[in-house]
PDB file of all heavy atoms in Angstrom:
ATOM      1  N   ALA T   1       8.043  -9.551  -0.736  1.00  0.00           N
ATOM      2  CA  ALA T   1       8.756  -8.705   0.227  1.00  0.00           C
ATOM      3  C   ALA T   1       9.981  -9.426   0.776  1.00  0.00           C
ATOM      4  O   ALA T   1      11.036  -8.816   0.977  1.00  0.00           O
ATOM      5  CB  ALA T   1       7.824  -8.296   1.367  1.00  0.00           C
ATOM      6  N   LYS T   2       9.861 -10.733   1.014  1.00  0.00           N
ATOM      7  CA  LYS T   2      10.996 -11.512   1.545  1.00  0.00           C
ATOM      8  C   LYS T   2      12.039 -11.807   0.468  1.00  0.00           C
ATOM      9  O   LYS T   2      13.230 -11.783   0.728  1.00  0.00           O
ATOM     10  CB  LYS T   2      10.485 -12.824   2.147  1.00  0.00           C
ATOM     11  CG  LYS T   2       9.702 -12.624   3.414  1.00  0.00           C
ATOM     12  CD  LYS T   2       9.269 -13.952   4.015  1.00  0.00           C
ATOM     13  CE  LYS T   2       8.536 -13.697   5.299  1.00  0.00           C
ATOM     14  NZ  LYS T   2       7.144 -14.084   5.273  1.00  0.00           N
ATOM     15  N   ASP T   3      11.563 -12.109  -0.756  1.00  0.00           N
ATOM     16  CA  ASP T   3      12.456 -12.538  -1.829  1.00  0.00           C
ATOM     17  C   ASP T   3      13.177 -11.399  -2.545  1.00  0.00           C
ATOM     18  O   ASP T   3      14.203 -11.623  -3.172  1.00  0.00           O
ATOM     19  CB  ASP T   3      11.678 -13.329  -2.894  1.00  0.00           C
ATOM     20  CG  ASP T   3      11.150 -14.657  -2.380  1.00  0.00           C
ATOM     21  OD1 ASP T   3      11.581 -15.100  -1.307  1.00  0.00           O
ATOM     22  OD2 ASP T   3      10.284 -15.238  -3.069  1.00  0.00           O
ATOM     23  N   ARG T   4      12.619 -10.196  -2.479  1.00  0.00           N
ATOM     24  CA  ARG T   4      13.156  -9.082  -3.264  1.00  0.00           C
ATOM     25  C   ARG T   4      13.558  -7.910  -2.367  1.00  0.00           C
ATOM     26  O   ARG T   4      12.798  -6.954  -2.212  1.00  0.00           O
ATOM     27  CB  ARG T   4      12.113  -8.607  -4.284  1.00  0.00           C
ATOM     28  CG  ARG T   4      11.712  -9.601  -5.364  1.00  0.00           C
ATOM     29  CD  ARG T   4      12.750  -9.722  -6.459  1.00  0.00           C
ATOM     30  NE  ARG T   4      13.119  -8.459  -7.074  1.00  0.00           N
ATOM     31  CZ  ARG T   4      12.572  -7.977  -8.182  1.00  0.00           C
ATOM     32  NH1 ARG T   4      11.640  -8.641  -8.823  1.00  0.00           N
ATOM     33  NH2 ARG T   4      12.979  -6.813  -8.669  1.00  0.00           N
ATOM     34  N   PRO T   5      14.772  -7.958  -1.804  1.00  0.00           N
ATOM     35  CA  PRO T   5      15.203  -6.843  -0.959  1.00  0.00           C
ATOM     36  C   PRO T   5      15.389  -5.536  -1.727  1.00  0.00           C
ATOM     37  O   PRO T   5      15.480  -4.472  -1.124  1.00  0.00           O
ATOM     38  CB  PRO T   5      16.534  -7.335  -0.377  1.00  0.00           C
ATOM     39  CG  PRO T   5      16.996  -8.407  -1.298  1.00  0.00           C
ATOM     40  CD  PRO T   5      15.766  -9.014  -1.910  1.00  0.00           C
ATOM     41  N   ASP T   6      15.401  -5.617  -3.056  1.00  0.00           N
ATOM     42  CA  ASP T   6      15.537  -4.405  -3.875  1.00  0.00           C
ATOM     43  C   ASP T   6      14.207  -3.661  -4.023  1.00  0.00           C
ATOM     44  O   ASP T   6      14.176  -2.559  -4.552  1.00  0.00           O
ATOM     45  CB  ASP T   6      16.078  -4.767  -5.265  1.00  0.00           C
ATOM     46  CG  ASP T   6      15.190  -5.754  -6.009  1.00  0.00           C
ATOM     47  OD1 ASP T   6      14.721  -6.736  -5.385  1.00  0.00           O
ATOM     48  OD2 ASP T   6      14.955  -5.561  -7.214  1.00  0.00           O
ATOM     49  N   ILE T   7      13.133  -4.259  -3.541  1.00  0.00           N
ATOM     50  CA  ILE T   7      11.788  -3.665  -3.630  1.00  0.00           C
ATOM     51  C   ILE T   7      11.256  -3.456  -2.219  1.00  0.00           C
ATOM     52  O   ILE T   7      11.348  -4.336  -1.371  1.00  0.00           O
ATOM     53  CB  ILE T   7      10.807  -4.610  -4.371  1.00  0.00           C
ATOM     54  CG1 ILE T   7      11.317  -4.972  -5.753  1.00  0.00           C
ATOM     55  CG2 ILE T   7       9.396  -4.037  -4.410  1.00  0.00           C
ATOM     56  CD1 ILE T   7      11.311  -3.858  -6.748  1.00  0.00           C
ATOM     57  N   LYS T   8      10.684  -2.287  -1.967  1.00  0.00           N
ATOM     58  CA  LYS T   8       9.980  -2.057  -0.702  1.00  0.00           C
ATOM     59  C   LYS T   8       8.517  -2.397  -0.936  1.00  0.00           C
ATOM     60  O   LYS T   8       7.929  -1.947  -1.917  1.00  0.00           O
ATOM     61  CB  LYS T   8      10.104  -0.616  -0.238  1.00  0.00           C
ATOM     62  CG  LYS T   8       9.386  -0.365   1.089  1.00  0.00           C
ATOM     63  CD  LYS T   8       9.504   1.067   1.533  1.00  0.00           C
ATOM     64  CE  LYS T   8      10.888   1.300   2.103  1.00  0.00           C
ATOM     65  NZ  LYS T   8      11.011   2.623   2.738  1.00  0.00           N
ATOM     66  N   VAL T   9       7.945  -3.205  -0.068  1.00  0.00           N
ATOM     67  CA  VAL T   9       6.539  -3.581  -0.186  1.00  0.00           C
ATOM     68  C   VAL T   9       5.765  -2.920   0.943  1.00  0.00           C
ATOM     69  O   VAL T   9       6.114  -3.054   2.112  1.00  0.00           O
ATOM     70  CB  VAL T   9       6.368  -5.121  -0.144  1.00  0.00           C
ATOM     71  CG1 VAL T   9       4.889  -5.494  -0.182  1.00  0.00           C
ATOM     72  CG2 VAL T   9       7.121  -5.773  -1.301  1.00  0.00           C
ATOM     73  N   GLY T  10       4.727  -2.189   0.559  1.00  0.00           N
ATOM     74  CA  GLY T  10       3.884  -1.512   1.533  1.00  0.00           C
ATOM     75  C   GLY T  10       2.448  -1.967   1.410  1.00  0.00           C
ATOM     76  O   GLY T  10       1.959  -2.217   0.306  1.00  0.00           O
ATOM     77  N   LYS T  11       1.767  -2.092   2.547  1.00  0.00           N
ATOM     78  CA  LYS T  11       0.369  -2.496   2.573  1.00  0.00           C
ATOM     79  C   LYS T  11      -0.459  -1.339   3.109  1.00  0.00           C
ATOM     80  O   LYS T  11      -0.120  -0.769   4.134  1.00  0.00           O
ATOM     81  CB  LYS T  11       0.197  -3.726   3.451  1.00  0.00           C
ATOM     82  CG  LYS T  11       1.002  -4.915   2.927  1.00  0.00           C
ATOM     83  CD  LYS T  11       0.906  -6.121   3.783  1.00  0.00           C
ATOM     84  CE  LYS T  11      -0.476  -6.620   4.041  1.00  0.00           C
ATOM     85  NZ  LYS T  11      -1.321  -6.858   2.891  1.00  0.00           N
ATOM     86  N   VAL T  12      -1.524  -0.998   2.386  1.00  0.00           N
ATOM     87  CA  VAL T  12      -2.399   0.097   2.779  1.00  0.00           C
ATOM     88  C   VAL T  12      -3.798  -0.473   3.015  1.00  0.00           C
ATOM     89  O   VAL T  12      -4.462  -0.918   2.075  1.00  0.00           O
ATOM     90  CB  VAL T  12      -2.460   1.195   1.695  1.00  0.00           C
ATOM     91  CG1 VAL T  12      -3.358   2.331   2.156  1.00  0.00           C
ATOM     92  CG2 VAL T  12      -1.067   1.702   1.338  1.00  0.00           C
ATOM     93  N   ASN T  13      -4.228  -0.490   4.271  1.00  0.00           N
ATOM     94  CA  ASN T  13      -5.566  -0.938   4.620  1.00  0.00           C
ATOM     95  C   ASN T  13      -6.529   0.199   4.269  1.00  0.00           C
ATOM     96  O   ASN T  13      -6.503   1.254   4.897  1.00  0.00           O
ATOM     97  CB  ASN T  13      -5.627  -1.286   6.110  1.00  0.00           C
ATOM     98  CG  ASN T  13      -6.974  -1.818   6.534  1.00  0.00           C
ATOM     99  OD1 ASN T  13      -8.013  -1.449   6.008  1.00  0.00           O
ATOM    100  ND2 ASN T  13      -6.949  -2.688   7.523  1.00  0.00           N
ATOM    101  N   VAL T  14      -7.371  -0.013   3.258  1.00  0.00           N
ATOM    102  CA  VAL T  14      -8.234   1.063   2.767  1.00  0.00           C
ATOM    103  C   VAL T  14      -9.297   1.472   3.787  1.00  0.00           C
ATOM    104  O   VAL T  14      -9.786   2.605   3.743  1.00  0.00           O
ATOM    105  CB  VAL T  14      -8.899   0.712   1.416  1.00  0.00           C
ATOM    106  CG1 VAL T  14      -7.838   0.534   0.342  1.00  0.00           C
ATOM    107  CG2 VAL T  14      -9.779  -0.511   1.521  1.00  0.00           C
ATOM    108  N   ASP T  15      -9.663   0.574   4.703  1.00  0.00           N
ATOM    109  CA  ASP T  15     -10.631   0.927   5.744  1.00  0.00           C
ATOM    110  C   ASP T  15     -10.020   1.903   6.745  1.00  0.00           C
ATOM    111  O   ASP T  15     -10.708   2.773   7.264  1.00  0.00           O
ATOM    112  CB  ASP T  15     -11.113  -0.317   6.498  1.00  0.00           C
ATOM    113  CG  ASP T  15     -12.025  -1.187   5.645  1.00  0.00           C
ATOM    114  OD1 ASP T  15     -12.586  -0.678   4.654  1.00  0.00           O
ATOM    115  OD2 ASP T  15     -12.170  -2.379   5.975  1.00  0.00           O
ATOM    116  N   GLU T  16      -8.721   1.744   7.013  1.00  0.00           N
ATOM    117  CA  GLU T  16      -8.039   2.594   7.984  1.00  0.00           C
ATOM    118  C   GLU T  16      -7.413   3.827   7.341  1.00  0.00           C
ATOM    119  O   GLU T  16      -7.121   4.802   8.032  1.00  0.00           O
ATOM    120  CB  GLU T  16      -6.944   1.788   8.698  1.00  0.00           C
ATOM    121  CG  GLU T  16      -7.500   0.649   9.540  1.00  0.00           C
ATOM    122  CD  GLU T  16      -6.405  -0.240  10.110  1.00  0.00           C
ATOM    123  OE1 GLU T  16      -5.205  -0.020   9.804  1.00  0.00           O
ATOM    124  OE2 GLU T  16      -6.760  -1.165  10.863  1.00  0.00           O
ATOM    125  N   GLN T  17      -7.186   3.783   6.024  1.00  0.00           N
ATOM    126  CA  GLN T  17      -6.510   4.876   5.320  1.00  0.00           C
ATOM    127  C   GLN T  17      -7.305   5.314   4.092  1.00  0.00           C
ATOM    128  O   GLN T  17      -6.812   5.264   2.954  1.00  0.00           O
ATOM    129  CB  GLN T  17      -5.095   4.432   4.904  1.00  0.00           C
ATOM    130  CG  GLN T  17      -4.204   3.995   6.028  1.00  0.00           C
ATOM    131  CD  GLN T  17      -3.976   5.087   7.047  1.00  0.00           C
ATOM    132  OE1 GLN T  17      -3.788   6.253   6.705  1.00  0.00           O
ATOM    133  NE2 GLN T  17      -4.016   4.730   8.316  1.00  0.00           N
ATOM    134  N   PRO T  18      -8.550   5.764   4.286  1.00  0.00           N
ATOM    135  CA  PRO T  18      -9.363   6.147   3.118  1.00  0.00           C
ATOM    136  C   PRO T  18      -8.767   7.318   2.338  1.00  0.00           C
ATOM    137  O   PRO T  18      -8.978   7.424   1.124  1.00  0.00           O
ATOM    138  CB  PRO T  18     -10.724   6.494   3.716  1.00  0.00           C
ATOM    139  CG  PRO T  18     -10.450   6.822   5.153  1.00  0.00           C
ATOM    140  CD  PRO T  18      -9.268   5.974   5.546  1.00  0.00           C
ATOM    141  N   GLU T  19      -8.010   8.198   3.012  1.00  0.00           N
ATOM    142  CA  GLU T  19      -7.409   9.331   2.304  1.00  0.00           C
ATOM    143  C   GLU T  19      -6.389   8.856   1.282  1.00  0.00           C
ATOM    144  O   GLU T  19      -6.331   9.367   0.163  1.00  0.00           O
ATOM    145  CB  GLU T  19      -6.724  10.298   3.284  1.00  0.00           C
ATOM    146  CG  GLU T  19      -7.596  10.798   4.404  1.00  0.00           C
ATOM    147  CD  GLU T  19      -7.601   9.849   5.618  1.00  0.00           C
ATOM    148  OE1 GLU T  19      -6.765   8.926   5.692  1.00  0.00           O
ATOM    149  OE2 GLU T  19      -8.463  10.040   6.475  1.00  0.00           O
ATOM    150  N   LEU T  20      -5.552   7.876   1.672  1.00  0.00           N
ATOM    151  CA  LEU T  20      -4.555   7.352   0.737  1.00  0.00           C
ATOM    152  C   LEU T  20      -5.232   6.625  -0.416  1.00  0.00           C
ATOM    153  O   LEU T  20      -4.817   6.763  -1.570  1.00  0.00           O
ATOM    154  CB  LEU T  20      -3.572   6.421   1.458  1.00  0.00           C
ATOM    155  CG  LEU T  20      -2.510   7.095   2.315  1.00  0.00           C
ATOM    156  CD1 LEU T  20      -1.658   6.065   3.037  1.00  0.00           C
ATOM    157  CD2 LEU T  20      -1.633   8.008   1.480  1.00  0.00           C
ATOM    158  N   ALA T  21      -6.256   5.850  -0.105  1.00  0.00           N
ATOM    159  CA  ALA T  21      -6.980   5.140  -1.166  1.00  0.00           C
ATOM    160  C   ALA T  21      -7.566   6.145  -2.155  1.00  0.00           C
ATOM    161  O   ALA T  21      -7.470   5.963  -3.378  1.00  0.00           O
ATOM    162  CB  ALA T  21      -8.068   4.262  -0.554  1.00  0.00           C
ATOM    163  N   SER T  22      -8.117   7.221  -1.654  1.00  0.00           N
ATOM    164  CA  SER T  22      -8.704   8.257  -2.503  1.00  0.00           C
ATOM    165  C   SER T  22      -7.626   8.953  -3.325  1.00  0.00           C
ATOM    166  O   SER T  22      -7.807   9.227  -4.516  1.00  0.00           O
ATOM    167  CB  SER T  22      -9.445   9.268  -1.637  1.00  0.00           C
ATOM    168  OG  SER T  22      -9.940  10.310  -2.422  1.00  0.00           O
ATOM    169  N   GLN T  23      -6.492   9.217  -2.702  1.00  0.00           N
ATOM    170  CA  GLN T  23      -5.379   9.880  -3.378  1.00  0.00           C
ATOM    171  C   GLN T  23      -4.914   9.079  -4.596  1.00  0.00           C
ATOM    172  O   GLN T  23      -4.510   9.651  -5.601  1.00  0.00           O
ATOM    173  CB  GLN T  23      -4.227  10.039  -2.377  1.00  0.00           C
ATOM    174  CG  GLN T  23      -3.019  10.752  -2.889  1.00  0.00           C
ATOM    175  CD  GLN T  23      -1.961  10.890  -1.796  1.00  0.00           C
ATOM    176  OE1 GLN T  23      -2.250  10.986  -0.613  1.00  0.00           O
ATOM    177  NE2 GLN T  23      -0.714  10.877  -2.210  1.00  0.00           N
ATOM    178  N   PHE T  24      -4.991   7.745  -4.506  1.00  0.00           N
ATOM    179  CA  PHE T  24      -4.558   6.879  -5.604  1.00  0.00           C
ATOM    180  C   PHE T  24      -5.720   6.461  -6.507  1.00  0.00           C
ATOM    181  O   PHE T  24      -5.530   5.655  -7.411  1.00  0.00           O
ATOM    182  CB  PHE T  24      -3.844   5.641  -5.052  1.00  0.00           C
ATOM    183  CG  PHE T  24      -2.429   5.917  -4.662  1.00  0.00           C
ATOM    184  CD1 PHE T  24      -2.124   6.421  -3.415  1.00  0.00           C
ATOM    185  CD2 PHE T  24      -1.390   5.694  -5.553  1.00  0.00           C
ATOM    186  CE1 PHE T  24      -0.816   6.698  -3.047  1.00  0.00           C
ATOM    187  CE2 PHE T  24      -0.080   5.964  -5.202  1.00  0.00           C
ATOM    188  CZ  PHE T  24       0.209   6.475  -3.950  1.00  0.00           C
ATOM    189  N   GLY T  25      -6.913   6.972  -6.224  1.00  0.00           N
ATOM    190  CA  GLY T  25      -8.059   6.648  -7.059  1.00  0.00           C
ATOM    191  C   GLY T  25      -8.477   5.197  -6.972  1.00  0.00           C
ATOM    192  O   GLY T  25      -8.988   4.640  -7.942  1.00  0.00           O
ATOM    193  N   VAL T  26      -8.260   4.573  -5.827  1.00  0.00           N
ATOM    194  CA  VAL T  26      -8.592   3.161  -5.653  1.00  0.00           C
ATOM    195  C   VAL T  26     -10.111   3.012  -5.615  1.00  0.00           C
ATOM    196  O   VAL T  26     -10.774   3.539  -4.730  1.00  0.00           O
ATOM    197  CB  VAL T  26      -7.947   2.590  -4.366  1.00  0.00           C
ATOM    198  CG1 VAL T  26      -8.428   1.183  -4.098  1.00  0.00           C
ATOM    199  CG2 VAL T  26      -6.432   2.640  -4.478  1.00  0.00           C
ATOM    200  N   MET T  27     -10.647   2.295  -6.600  1.00  0.00           N
ATOM    201  CA  MET T  27     -12.088   2.078  -6.698  1.00  0.00           C
ATOM    202  C   MET T  27     -12.467   0.650  -6.322  1.00  0.00           C
ATOM    203  O   MET T  27     -13.605   0.386  -5.965  1.00  0.00           O
ATOM    204  CB  MET T  27     -12.568   2.371  -8.113  1.00  0.00           C
ATOM    205  CG  MET T  27     -12.263   3.786  -8.561  1.00  0.00           C
ATOM    206  SD  MET T  27     -13.028   5.007  -7.524  1.00  0.00           S
ATOM    207  CE  MET T  27     -14.533   5.265  -8.413  1.00  0.00           C
TER     208      MET T  27
END
């Protein structure tokens, strides 16, 4: 995230965002 300003880095806490985890099929 610091080295590559051309990339956006996002963090998804699966405990707090189970809907997003499910949407991406995170197993």
